[in-house]
Amino acid sequence: MKAALQDFIIYMSEVKKASVNTIMSYQNDLTKLIKHLANQNITDIGKISETSLNSYILNMEREGMAPATVSRNIASIKAFILYLVRKGRLQNDPTERMHAPKVEKKPPQILSLNQIKGLLEQPDISTIKGIRDKAMLELLYATGIRVSELISIRLDDINLKNRFLRCCSASKERIIPFGNMAKQALENYFIKARSELVGNMDTNICFTNLSGEPMSRQGFWKIIKSYGKIAGIQDEITPQILRNSFAVHMIDNGADIQSIQELLGHSDAAATQVYMQNRNKKVREVYAQAHPRA
C-alpha cells in the first residue's frame, strides 16, 4: 500500500501539478491512514472497504480532532481512493457515501494596521539580518504572497523599477504590484545585505539564510514569530495571517473581490470570498453605532 501511496504522490506532483503544501498534506494524512489500516491487518488495497475507512474517521473524531482536520483527511482519502479506482486497483469506490463534517467558517485572523506597523518596524536595519528580514516582511505584506512563494523568489522575478513581482506557482504565473515601502526595503537589501549573505555562492534565489542557502518555511516562521513577540502582539502570528491582513486591508480600502482573488492566486472565488466576512462585520458595527434606530 505504501508503494501505491508513492505512485499517487508522484501523480499529484507531476500530472496534477499540486502545490508542495497540498502534496505534504496528502502524504501526512494518507500515511496515518495506511498505518491505521495495517493495525487492522489490512495491507492489501483490495481489502479497503467503507467499513474500514469509516472506522478510521470515527477514531479521529473520538480522539477529539477538529472538524476541519477530519474534513481535510476525508478529502485526502477520497482523492487517493479515486486514483486507485481509475487505475483499476480498486473495483468500487468505498468513499461514495462518506461525507465530511460541517466546518464552521470563521473570519480569517488578521492583524490591525497598528499591529502591522509595529511588526514591520522591528527588524534592526543596522544589521545584515535585519535588512533582509525587513525586506521579506515588507514584501510579504505588500503582495499577500504565500510563504512558499516568498522563499522561492528569484532575482529575475523582481522588477524594482516598475515595482512588480512575478510569482510562479505550479503551472500558474501572476504579476503582483508592490508599493514604495517594499521597494525601498528591497533596494536596501540588494545594496547592503544580499552579497554579504551569499558570498561567493552562485545562486539566483533572492532571500537566503545567514549561510547563503535557500531559506526554509520553518526558518521564516521563526523569524516572523520572534518579531511578533518583540512587537508585543499577543495573538498567534504566522505568514498566513499577514496574507489575510493584506487581503482584508485591501478590501477595507476599496479593492474589489475579483482583484484580490487575482492577486492572491486563488483559482476558486469561494476561497477569496471568506475575506468579505470581516468587511461585512465591520459594516454591521458601523451601522449599529450610526443608525438612530439600530
Side-chain angles (χ1 to χ4, degrees):
M1 208 174 292
K2 290 181 180 179
L5 173 56
Q6 289 309 308
D7 291 342
F8 171 69
I9 295 299
I10 292 171
Y11 168 77
M12 292 304 299
S13 176
E14 298 183 357
V15 178
K16 287 296 189 178
K17 305 295 184 184
S19 69
V20 173
N21 288 348
T22 298
I23 290 171
M24 287 177 62
S25 292
Y26 281 138
Q27 182 94 48
N28 293 335
D29 294 344
L30 296 171
T31 296
K32 293 175 184 176
L33 168 67
I34 290 172
K35 183 178 180 180
H36 172 85
L37 293 175
N39 289 336
Q40 306 300 314
N41 296 318
I42 301 172
T43 56
D44 180 64
I45 289 172
K47 293 183 179 179
I48 298 176
S49 66
E50 182 178 343
T51 300
S52 63
L53 294 177
N54 281 336
S55 73
Y56 178 60
I57 301 303
L58 288 172
N59 187 61
M60 285 194 292
E61 292 175 343
R62 279 196 296 266
E63 290 180 354
M65 290 190 179
T69 302
V70 176
S71 181
R72 192 200 66 228
N73 273 267
I74 290 175
S76 298
I77 293 168
K78 281 179 169 287
F80 182 46
I81 294 298
L82 181 60
Y83 168 80
L84 294 176
V85 171
R86 287 177 174 173
K87 290 296 181 179
R89 304 181 73 170
L90 268 176
Q91 295 303 310
N92 300 303
D93 184 353
T95 68
E96 283 184 342
R97 295 192 294 178
M98 185 181 290
H99 300 290
K102 187 175 182 180
V103 178
E104 180 185 357
K105 291 186 177 180
K106 298 179 181 179
Q109 186 178 351
I110 66 168
L111 298 178
S112 68
L113 289 172
N114 284 337
Q115 287 175 319
I116 288 288
K117 183 175 182 292
L119 178 69
L120 298 181
E121 289 176 346
Q122 295 313 309
D124 180 1
I125 56 174
S126 68
T127 67
I128 297 298
K129 180 182 182 300
I131 292 172
R132 179 205 63 188
D133 294 349
K134 172 75 169 175
M136 295 185 79
L137 289 172
E138 287 283 1
L139 189 62
L140 192 65
Y141 177 62
T143 59
I145 57 177
R146 303 172 179 89
V147 64
S148 57
E149 295 169 333
L150 177 71
I151 63 176
S152 300
I153 294 172
R154 298 187 175 275
L155 294 178
D156 52 4
D157 290 330
I158 296 176
N159 187 316
L160 278 177
K161 180 180 179 181
N162 296 309
R163 295 191 305 188
F164 71 78
L165 167 70
R166 182 178 65 220
C167 190
C168 302
S169 58
S171 58
K172 300 176 184 177
E173 178 180 301
R174 63 192 194 278
I175 301 299
I176 309 172
F178 54 79
N180 196 51
M181 297 295 288
K183 178 186 178 183
Q184 291 177 14
L186 284 167
E187 286 178 332
N188 198 36
Y189 170 65
F190 290 137
I191 294 170
K192 298 181 180 179
R194 187 176 181 277
S195 60
E196 295 292 328
L197 290 171
V198 301
N200 296 323
M201 298 179 68
D202 184 17
T203 177
N204 195 32
I205 291 292
C206 182
F207 300 110
T208 71
N209 60 25
L210 297 181
S211 300
E213 301 287 344
M215 183 176 291
S216 66
R217 293 173 65 222
Q218 292 79 6
F220 183 72
W221 280 34
K222 290 179 181 178
I223 289 171
I224 196 172
K225 285 184 177 182
S226 67
Y227 286 129
K229 185 176 181 180
I230 297 170
I233 299 173
Q234 301 298 320
D235 298 327
E236 179 188 16
I237 180 168
T238 67
Q240 180 62 42
I241 290 176
L242 253 69
R243 181 170 160 87
N244 295 343
S245 303
F246 160 84
V248 172
H249 294 167
M250 289 280 287
I251 290 170
D252 284 348
N253 283 284
D256 62 272
I257 198 71
Q258 290 80 13
S259 296
I260 298 300
Q261 179 183 348
E262 185 175 342
L263 290 169
L264 294 177
H266 286 162
S267 56
D268 184 357
T272 316
Q273 199 68 34
V274 68
Y275 294 112
M276 290 300 296
Q277 294 183 49
N278 294 73
R279 178 60 178 170
N280 294 338
K281 180 181 178 182
K282 183 176 181 180
V283 169
R284 288 194 297 270
E285 290 173 350
V286 170
Y287 177 89
Q289 293 173 3
H291 197 282
R293 298 177 69 86

